[in-house]
Amino acid sequence: TRFFSFANPGEEMAAVESLRDQLAKEKNLVILFSDAIKGEAVRRLVAFGDSLGIPVKYVALVDYANSRGAIDMGLVPELLPGYQPAPSRGMNIQEMLNAPDLDALWVIGANPLESAPLAATRAFVVVQEMFMTETAQRADIILPAASAYEKDGTFTNVTGEVQRLRTALKVMGTKPDLEIFGLLAKELGINLGVEAKPDPVFNEIRKVVRGYNVPLPVIATGGAAQTAP
């Protein structure tokens, strides 16, 4: 069944709530939402879904194939892995770009300078990247990064399913991001607490990140393992 309600920016939740009577008559519902719904609006959206009295599932649409996995691992300012609260809040991307006193910026597989300049004109910029993006053009150092087809690991899709990545092709001159971290940590004398290889890191994730203690045979044989909420 399709119902339509068009909304202006900032009025998305009001448009959704106007469909209450129609949606409550459905047997079940899947709500897909983008970053137009965030912060307190997410809580409001879930409260709306709960009030319908039918089974409701939610899918947050994010930018990249592994954005869900990155968030689960705590790559947001206010959270640690597994959505544990961080002791202190870090900076988000916009705050980093706007900070005039930023000393250094290390960017991995993203292009934040595509749409906004870096206020700290003297900041030292390191970029791990496959392409000469606007951010890479600004970089003081570029570390050539391997693509998803050139490394082992896992990714988590938007519905929380973990799948295995396996190296399909080995090429000269690039390294997986994880290997870059490990080599730099070694040169700096930093103990990462776990060997910088895919299997030890994923074993650590399964131990410490809530919901990620998934059955290994499922992903080892090419399947997708559902993480717990």
PDB file of all heavy atoms in Angstrom, residues 83-116:
ATOM      1  N   TYR A  83      27.870   1.689  20.967  1.00  0.00           N
ATOM      2  CA  TYR A  83      26.971   2.749  21.424  1.00  0.00           C
ATOM      3  C   TYR A  83      27.100   3.043  22.920  1.00  0.00           C
ATOM      4  O   TYR A  83      26.166   3.537  23.548  1.00  0.00           O
ATOM      5  CB  TYR A  83      25.508   2.428  21.044  1.00  0.00           C
ATOM      6  CG  TYR A  83      25.334   2.350  19.546  1.00  0.00           C
ATOM      7  CD1 TYR A  83      25.562   1.160  18.864  1.00  0.00           C
ATOM      8  CD2 TYR A  83      24.999   3.473  18.801  1.00  0.00           C
ATOM      9  CE1 TYR A  83      25.453   1.088  17.478  1.00  0.00           C
ATOM     10  CE2 TYR A  83      24.880   3.408  17.419  1.00  0.00           C
ATOM     11  CZ  TYR A  83      25.110   2.219  16.772  1.00  0.00           C
ATOM     12  OH  TYR A  83      25.008   2.139  15.405  1.00  0.00           O
ATOM     13  N   GLN A  84      28.279   2.752  23.462  1.00  0.00           N
ATOM     14  CA  GLN A  84      28.545   3.155  24.844  1.00  0.00           C
ATOM     15  C   GLN A  84      28.858   4.653  24.863  1.00  0.00           C
ATOM     16  O   GLN A  84      29.547   5.157  23.970  1.00  0.00           O
ATOM     17  CB  GLN A  84      29.740   2.361  25.409  1.00  0.00           C
ATOM     18  CG  GLN A  84      29.527   0.858  25.450  1.00  0.00           C
ATOM     19  CD  GLN A  84      28.536   0.450  26.518  1.00  0.00           C
ATOM     20  OE1 GLN A  84      28.228   1.225  27.413  1.00  0.00           O
ATOM     21  NE2 GLN A  84      28.022  -0.769  26.419  1.00  0.00           N
ATOM     22  N   PRO A  85      28.376   5.387  25.857  1.00  0.00           N
ATOM     23  CA  PRO A  85      28.657   6.824  25.906  1.00  0.00           C
ATOM     24  C   PRO A  85      30.152   7.104  26.059  1.00  0.00           C
ATOM     25  O   PRO A  85      30.839   6.449  26.835  1.00  0.00           O
ATOM     26  CB  PRO A  85      27.881   7.298  27.141  1.00  0.00           C
ATOM     27  CG  PRO A  85      26.861   6.233  27.390  1.00  0.00           C
ATOM     28  CD  PRO A  85      27.480   4.946  26.937  1.00  0.00           C
ATOM     29  N   ALA A  86      30.660   8.054  25.317  1.00  0.00           N
ATOM     30  CA  ALA A  86      32.061   8.455  25.440  1.00  0.00           C
ATOM     31  C   ALA A  86      32.228   9.337  26.678  1.00  0.00           C
ATOM     32  O   ALA A  86      31.324  10.083  27.041  1.00  0.00           O
ATOM     33  CB  ALA A  86      32.497   9.211  24.193  1.00  0.00           C
ATOM     34  N   PRO A  87      33.392   9.249  27.353  1.00  0.00           N
ATOM     35  CA  PRO A  87      33.620  10.093  28.538  1.00  0.00           C
ATOM     36  C   PRO A  87      33.512  11.584  28.241  1.00  0.00           C
ATOM     37  O   PRO A  87      33.040  12.366  29.060  1.00  0.00           O
ATOM     38  CB  PRO A  87      35.046   9.714  28.954  1.00  0.00           C
ATOM     39  CG  PRO A  87      35.293   8.377  28.346  1.00  0.00           C
ATOM     40  CD  PRO A  87      34.509   8.349  27.069  1.00  0.00           C
ATOM     41  N   SER A  88      33.940  11.979  27.035  1.00  0.00           N
ATOM     42  CA  SER A  88      33.807  13.372  26.611  1.00  0.00           C
ATOM     43  C   SER A  88      33.513  13.385  25.120  1.00  0.00           C
ATOM     44  O   SER A  88      33.934  12.498  24.382  1.00  0.00           O
ATOM     45  CB  SER A  88      35.088  14.168  26.901  1.00  0.00           C
ATOM     46  OG  SER A  88      36.200  13.586  26.232  1.00  0.00           O
ATOM     47  N   ARG A  89      32.776  14.388  24.696  1.00  0.00           N
ATOM     48  CA  ARG A  89      32.369  14.458  23.294  1.00  0.00           C
ATOM     49  C   ARG A  89      33.499  14.976  22.427  1.00  0.00           C
ATOM     50  O   ARG A  89      34.195  15.922  22.773  1.00  0.00           O
ATOM     51  CB  ARG A  89      31.148  15.373  23.157  1.00  0.00           C
ATOM     52  CG  ARG A  89      30.574  15.443  21.751  1.00  0.00           C
ATOM     53  CD  ARG A  89      29.458  16.468  21.660  1.00  0.00           C
ATOM     54  NE  ARG A  89      28.872  16.546  20.335  1.00  0.00           N
ATOM     55  CZ  ARG A  89      29.412  17.213  19.314  1.00  0.00           C
ATOM     56  NH1 ARG A  89      30.557  17.858  19.491  1.00  0.00           N
ATOM     57  NH2 ARG A  89      28.813  17.235  18.130  1.00  0.00           N
ATOM     58  N   GLY A  90      33.679  14.332  21.261  1.00  0.00           N
ATOM     59  CA  GLY A  90      34.645  14.814  20.291  1.00  0.00           C
ATOM     60  C   GLY A  90      34.004  15.815  19.343  1.00  0.00           C
ATOM     61  O   GLY A  90      32.899  16.322  19.583  1.00  0.00           O
ATOM     62  N   MET A  91      34.677  16.098  18.258  1.00  0.00           N
ATOM     63  CA  MET A  91      34.191  17.050  17.265  1.00  0.00           C
ATOM     64  C   MET A  91      33.596  16.297  16.085  1.00  0.00           C
ATOM     65  O   MET A  91      34.092  15.234  15.699  1.00  0.00           O
ATOM     66  CB  MET A  91      35.335  17.944  16.773  1.00  0.00           C
ATOM     67  CG  MET A  91      36.006  18.751  17.876  1.00  0.00           C
ATOM     68  SD  MET A  91      37.545  19.535  17.315  1.00  0.00           S
ATOM     69  CE  MET A  91      36.905  20.776  16.197  1.00  0.00           C
ATOM     70  N   ASN A  92      32.528  16.838  15.498  1.00  0.00           N
ATOM     71  CA  ASN A  92      32.033  16.265  14.256  1.00  0.00           C
ATOM     72  C   ASN A  92      32.762  16.907  13.076  1.00  0.00           C
ATOM     73  O   ASN A  92      33.600  17.806  13.247  1.00  0.00           O
ATOM     74  CB  ASN A  92      30.510  16.417  14.151  1.00  0.00           C
ATOM     75  CG  ASN A  92      30.067  17.871  14.116  1.00  0.00           C
ATOM     76  OD1 ASN A  92      30.750  18.749  13.589  1.00  0.00           O
ATOM     77  ND2 ASN A  92      28.900  18.138  14.681  1.00  0.00           N
ATOM     78  N   ILE A  93      32.446  16.451  11.870  1.00  0.00           N
ATOM     79  CA  ILE A  93      33.195  16.913  10.705  1.00  0.00           C
ATOM     80  C   ILE A  93      33.092  18.424  10.529  1.00  0.00           C
ATOM     81  O   ILE A  93      34.091  19.101  10.285  1.00  0.00           O
ATOM     82  CB  ILE A  93      32.687  16.198   9.431  1.00  0.00           C
ATOM     83  CG1 ILE A  93      33.052  14.713   9.476  1.00  0.00           C
ATOM     84  CG2 ILE A  93      33.279  16.833   8.175  1.00  0.00           C
ATOM     85  CD1 ILE A  93      32.497  13.912   8.324  1.00  0.00           C
ATOM     86  N   GLN A  94      31.886  18.959  10.662  1.00  0.00           N
ATOM     87  CA  GLN A  94      31.712  20.388  10.447  1.00  0.00           C
ATOM     88  C   GLN A  94      32.483  21.202  11.472  1.00  0.00           C
ATOM     89  O   GLN A  94      33.070  22.242  11.150  1.00  0.00           O
ATOM     90  CB  GLN A  94      30.224  20.751  10.495  1.00  0.00           C
ATOM     91  CG  GLN A  94      29.912  22.095   9.856  1.00  0.00           C
ATOM     92  CD  GLN A  94      30.359  22.168   8.403  1.00  0.00           C
ATOM     93  OE1 GLN A  94      30.036  21.298   7.606  1.00  0.00           O
ATOM     94  NE2 GLN A  94      31.123  23.194   8.069  1.00  0.00           N
ATOM     95  N   GLU A  95      32.510  20.719  12.718  1.00  0.00           N
ATOM     96  CA  GLU A  95      33.270  21.417  13.763  1.00  0.00           C
ATOM     97  C   GLU A  95      34.759  21.371  13.483  1.00  0.00           C
ATOM     98  O   GLU A  95      35.485  22.341  13.744  1.00  0.00           O
ATOM     99  CB  GLU A  95      32.946  20.799  15.125  1.00  0.00           C
ATOM    100  CG  GLU A  95      31.531  21.103  15.604  1.00  0.00           C
ATOM    101  CD  GLU A  95      31.105  20.248  16.785  1.00  0.00           C
ATOM    102  OE1 GLU A  95      31.723  19.176  17.012  1.00  0.00           O
ATOM    103  OE2 GLU A  95      30.156  20.634  17.486  1.00  0.00           O
ATOM    104  N   MET A  96      35.238  20.248  12.955  1.00  0.00           N
ATOM    105  CA  MET A  96      36.659  20.163  12.595  1.00  0.00           C
ATOM    106  C   MET A  96      37.001  21.161  11.488  1.00  0.00           C
ATOM    107  O   MET A  96      38.007  21.877  11.553  1.00  0.00           O
ATOM    108  CB  MET A  96      37.000  18.752  12.119  1.00  0.00           C
ATOM    109  CG  MET A  96      36.870  17.669  13.156  1.00  0.00           C
ATOM    110  SD  MET A  96      37.231  16.052  12.404  1.00  0.00           S
ATOM    111  CE  MET A  96      36.520  14.954  13.637  1.00  0.00           C
ATOM    112  N   LEU A  97      36.150  21.204  10.467  1.00  0.00           N
ATOM    113  CA  LEU A  97      36.420  22.101   9.335  1.00  0.00           C
ATOM    114  C   LEU A  97      36.354  23.559   9.747  1.00  0.00           C
ATOM    115  O   LEU A  97      37.073  24.405   9.187  1.00  0.00           O
ATOM    116  CB  LEU A  97      35.410  21.836   8.216  1.00  0.00           C
ATOM    117  CG  LEU A  97      35.445  20.448   7.571  1.00  0.00           C
ATOM    118  CD1 LEU A  97      34.384  20.349   6.474  1.00  0.00           C
ATOM    119  CD2 LEU A  97      36.816  20.115   7.014  1.00  0.00           C
ATOM    120  N   ASN A  98      35.525  23.876  10.734  1.00  0.00           N
ATOM    121  CA  ASN A  98      35.342  25.268  11.150  1.00  0.00           C
ATOM    122  C   ASN A  98      36.333  25.723  12.215  1.00  0.00           C
ATOM    123  O   ASN A  98      36.403  26.921  12.513  1.00  0.00           O
ATOM    124  CB  ASN A  98      33.925  25.471  11.684  1.00  0.00           C
ATOM    125  CG  ASN A  98      32.872  25.347  10.595  1.00  0.00           C
ATOM    126  OD1 ASN A  98      33.171  25.482   9.413  1.00  0.00           O
ATOM    127  ND2 ASN A  98      31.633  25.087  10.979  1.00  0.00           N
ATOM    128  N   ALA A  99      37.089  24.791  12.802  1.00  0.00           N
ATOM    129  CA  ALA A  99      37.988  25.144  13.903  1.00  0.00           C
ATOM    130  C   ALA A  99      39.245  25.832  13.365  1.00  0.00           C
ATOM    131  O   ALA A  99      40.059  25.208  12.686  1.00  0.00           O
ATOM    132  CB  ALA A  99      38.367  23.888  14.683  1.00  0.00           C
ATOM    133  N   PRO A 100      39.467  27.116  13.691  1.00  0.00           N
ATOM    134  CA  PRO A 100      40.632  27.824  13.149  1.00  0.00           C
ATOM    135  C   PRO A 100      41.952  27.367  13.767  1.00  0.00           C
ATOM    136  O   PRO A 100      43.023  27.601  13.192  1.00  0.00           O
ATOM    137  CB  PRO A 100      40.337  29.289  13.497  1.00  0.00           C
ATOM    138  CG  PRO A 100      39.442  29.218  14.690  1.00  0.00           C
ATOM    139  CD  PRO A 100      38.615  27.988  14.518  1.00  0.00           C
ATOM    140  N   ASP A 101      41.883  26.712  14.952  1.00  0.00           N
ATOM    141  CA  ASP A 101      43.101  26.306  15.646  1.00  0.00           C
ATOM    142  C   ASP A 101      43.397  24.814  15.494  1.00  0.00           C
ATOM    143  O   ASP A 101      44.205  24.265  16.234  1.00  0.00           O
ATOM    144  CB  ASP A 101      42.993  26.650  17.138  1.00  0.00           C
ATOM    145  CG  ASP A 101      41.779  26.002  17.799  1.00  0.00           C
ATOM    146  OD1 ASP A 101      40.883  25.514  17.064  1.00  0.00           O
ATOM    147  OD2 ASP A 101      41.714  25.998  19.042  1.00  0.00           O
ATOM    148  N   LEU A 102      42.782  24.157  14.521  1.00  0.00           N
ATOM    149  CA  LEU A 102      43.023  22.730  14.301  1.00  0.00           C
ATOM    150  C   LEU A 102      44.464  22.521  13.860  1.00  0.00           C
ATOM    151  O   LEU A 102      44.934  23.142  12.907  1.00  0.00           O
ATOM    152  CB  LEU A 102      42.061  22.206  13.234  1.00  0.00           C
ATOM    153  CG  LEU A 102      41.952  20.695  13.091  1.00  0.00           C
ATOM    154  CD1 LEU A 102      41.198  20.099  14.278  1.00  0.00           C
ATOM    155  CD2 LEU A 102      41.227  20.347  11.790  1.00  0.00           C
ATOM    156  N   ASP A 103      45.177  21.634  14.566  1.00  0.00           N
ATOM    157  CA  ASP A 103      46.589  21.377  14.234  1.00  0.00           C
ATOM    158  C   ASP A 103      46.737  20.366  13.109  1.00  0.00           C
ATOM    159  O   ASP A 103      47.624  20.509  12.258  1.00  0.00           O
ATOM    160  CB  ASP A 103      47.332  20.854  15.474  1.00  0.00           C
ATOM    161  CG  ASP A 103      47.469  21.910  16.552  1.00  0.00           C
ATOM    162  OD1 ASP A 103      47.679  23.083  16.192  1.00  0.00           O
ATOM    163  OD2 ASP A 103      47.344  21.579  17.737  1.00  0.00           O
ATOM    164  N   ALA A 104      45.935  19.309  13.142  1.00  0.00           N
ATOM    165  CA  ALA A 104      46.085  18.239  12.161  1.00  0.00           C
ATOM    166  C   ALA A 104      44.733  17.631  11.848  1.00  0.00           C
ATOM    167  O   ALA A 104      43.829  17.608  12.683  1.00  0.00           O
ATOM    168  CB  ALA A 104      47.031  17.163  12.693  1.00  0.00           C
ATOM    169  N   LEU A 105      44.597  17.130  10.617  1.00  0.00           N
ATOM    170  CA  LEU A 105      43.379  16.457  10.175  1.00  0.00           C
ATOM    171  C   LEU A 105      43.793  15.201   9.420  1.00  0.00           C
ATOM    172  O   LEU A 105      44.557  15.261   8.463  1.00  0.00           O
ATOM    173  CB  LEU A 105      42.561  17.374   9.263  1.00  0.00           C
ATOM    174  CG  LEU A 105      41.226  16.828   8.772  1.00  0.00           C
ATOM    175  CD1 LEU A 105      40.252  16.682   9.927  1.00  0.00           C
ATOM    176  CD2 LEU A 105      40.640  17.734   7.688  1.00  0.00           C
ATOM    177  N   TRP A 106      43.294  14.056   9.880  1.00  0.00           N
ATOM    178  CA  TRP A 106      43.606  12.767   9.259  1.00  0.00           C
ATOM    179  C   TRP A 106      42.306  12.221   8.695  1.00  0.00           C
ATOM    180  O   TRP A 106      41.373  11.920   9.437  1.00  0.00           O
ATOM    181  CB  TRP A 106      44.195  11.830  10.319  1.00  0.00           C
ATOM    182  CG  TRP A 106      44.709  10.515   9.793  1.00  0.00           C
ATOM    183  CD1 TRP A 106      44.658  10.051   8.524  1.00  0.00           C
ATOM    184  CD2 TRP A 106      45.376   9.509  10.563  1.00  0.00           C
ATOM    185  NE1 TRP A 106      45.236   8.813   8.438  1.00  0.00           N
ATOM    186  CE2 TRP A 106      45.691   8.458   9.676  1.00  0.00           C
ATOM    187  CE3 TRP A 106      45.731   9.398  11.912  1.00  0.00           C
ATOM    188  CZ2 TRP A 106      46.345   7.303  10.099  1.00  0.00           C
ATOM    189  CZ3 TRP A 106      46.374   8.254  12.331  1.00  0.00           C
ATOM    190  CH2 TRP A 106      46.686   7.221  11.433  1.00  0.00           C
ATOM    191  N   VAL A 107      42.223  12.127   7.378  1.00  0.00           N
ATOM    192  CA  VAL A 107      40.992  11.757   6.686  1.00  0.00           C
ATOM    193  C   VAL A 107      41.179  10.399   6.018  1.00  0.00           C
ATOM    194  O   VAL A 107      42.155  10.183   5.300  1.00  0.00           O
ATOM    195  CB  VAL A 107      40.610  12.808   5.627  1.00  0.00           C
ATOM    196  CG1 VAL A 107      39.304  12.417   4.935  1.00  0.00           C
ATOM    197  CG2 VAL A 107      40.487  14.182   6.251  1.00  0.00           C
ATOM    198  N   ILE A 108      40.216   9.503   6.240  1.00  0.00           N
ATOM    199  CA  ILE A 108      40.314   8.144   5.709  1.00  0.00           C
ATOM    200  C   ILE A 108      39.087   7.853   4.857  1.00  0.00           C
ATOM    201  O   ILE A 108      37.972   7.745   5.364  1.00  0.00           O
ATOM    202  CB  ILE A 108      40.431   7.116   6.849  1.00  0.00           C
ATOM    203  CG1 ILE A 108      41.645   7.452   7.713  1.00  0.00           C
ATOM    204  CG2 ILE A 108      40.529   5.697   6.310  1.00  0.00           C
ATOM    205  CD1 ILE A 108      41.622   6.805   9.072  1.00  0.00           C
ATOM    206  N   GLY A 109      39.281   7.748   3.558  1.00  0.00           N
ATOM    207  CA  GLY A 109      38.204   7.345   2.665  1.00  0.00           C
ATOM    208  C   GLY A 109      37.014   8.271   2.650  1.00  0.00           C
ATOM    209  O   GLY A 109      35.874   7.832   2.521  1.00  0.00           O
ATOM    210  N   ALA A 110      37.240   9.551   2.788  1.00  0.00           N
ATOM    211  CA  ALA A 110      36.150  10.529   2.766  1.00  0.00           C
ATOM    212  C   ALA A 110      36.660  11.801   2.098  1.00  0.00           C
ATOM    213  O   ALA A 110      37.865  11.999   1.921  1.00  0.00           O
ATOM    214  CB  ALA A 110      35.644  10.818   4.176  1.00  0.00           C
ATOM    215  N   ASN A 111      35.731  12.682   1.748  1.00  0.00           N
ATOM    216  CA  ASN A 111      36.092  13.901   1.031  1.00  0.00           C
ATOM    217  C   ASN A 111      35.372  15.105   1.636  1.00  0.00           C
ATOM    218  O   ASN A 111      34.535  15.733   0.975  1.00  0.00           O
ATOM    219  CB  ASN A 111      35.745  13.748  -0.455  1.00  0.00           C
ATOM    220  CG  ASN A 111      36.242  14.904  -1.294  1.00  0.00           C
ATOM    221  OD1 ASN A 111      37.148  15.644  -0.898  1.00  0.00           O
ATOM    222  ND2 ASN A 111      35.645  15.089  -2.468  1.00  0.00           N
ATOM    223  N   PRO A 112      35.677  15.457   2.892  1.00  0.00           N
ATOM    224  CA  PRO A 112      34.945  16.555   3.540  1.00  0.00           C
ATOM    225  C   PRO A 112      35.158  17.911   2.897  1.00  0.00           C
ATOM    226  O   PRO A 112      34.319  18.801   3.047  1.00  0.00           O
ATOM    227  CB  PRO A 112      35.487  16.528   4.978  1.00  0.00           C
ATOM    228  CG  PRO A 112      36.827  15.879   4.866  1.00  0.00           C
ATOM    229  CD  PRO A 112      36.687  14.863   3.791  1.00  0.00           C
ATOM    230  N   LEU A 113      36.277  18.114   2.181  1.00  0.00           N
ATOM    231  CA  LEU A 113      36.537  19.417   1.580  1.00  0.00           C
ATOM    232  C   LEU A 113      35.857  19.580   0.228  1.00  0.00           C
ATOM    233  O   LEU A 113      36.034  20.587  -0.440  1.00  0.00           O
ATOM    234  CB  LEU A 113      38.051  19.638   1.428  1.00  0.00           C
ATOM    235  CG  LEU A 113      38.868  19.583   2.729  1.00  0.00           C
ATOM    236  CD1 LEU A 113      40.306  19.992   2.471  1.00  0.00           C
ATOM    237  CD2 LEU A 113      38.259  20.467   3.805  1.00  0.00           C
ATOM    238  N   GLU A 114      35.062  18.600  -0.155  1.00  0.00           N
ATOM    239  CA  GLU A 114      34.320  18.706  -1.409  1.00  0.00           C
ATOM    240  C   GLU A 114      33.321  19.852  -1.363  1.00  0.00           C
ATOM    241  O   GLU A 114      33.101  20.540  -2.370  1.00  0.00           O
ATOM    242  CB  GLU A 114      33.585  17.397  -1.687  1.00  0.00           C
ATOM    243  CG  GLU A 114      32.746  17.407  -2.954  1.00  0.00           C
ATOM    244  CD  GLU A 114      31.996  16.116  -3.157  1.00  0.00           C
ATOM    245  OE1 GLU A 114      31.856  15.341  -2.189  1.00  0.00           O
ATOM    246  OE2 GLU A 114      31.556  15.865  -4.292  1.00  0.00           O
ATOM    247  N   SER A 115      32.729  20.069  -0.184  1.00  0.00           N
ATOM    248  CA  SER A 115      31.658  21.069  -0.088  1.00  0.00           C
ATOM    249  C   SER A 115      31.945  22.183   0.908  1.00  0.00           C
ATOM    250  O   SER A 115      31.130  23.098   1.044  1.00  0.00           O
ATOM    251  CB  SER A 115      30.353  20.368   0.315  1.00  0.00           C
ATOM    252  OG  SER A 115      30.528  19.640   1.519  1.00  0.00           O
ATOM    253  N   ALA A 116      33.069  22.118   1.607  1.00  0.00           N
ATOM    254  CA  ALA A 116      33.381  23.160   2.598  1.00  0.00           C
ATOM    255  C   ALA A 116      34.892  23.305   2.729  1.00  0.00           C
ATOM    256  O   ALA A 116      35.621  22.308   2.650  1.00  0.00           O
ATOM    257  CB  ALA A 116      32.764  22.803   3.952  1.00  0.00           C
TER     258      ALA A 116
END
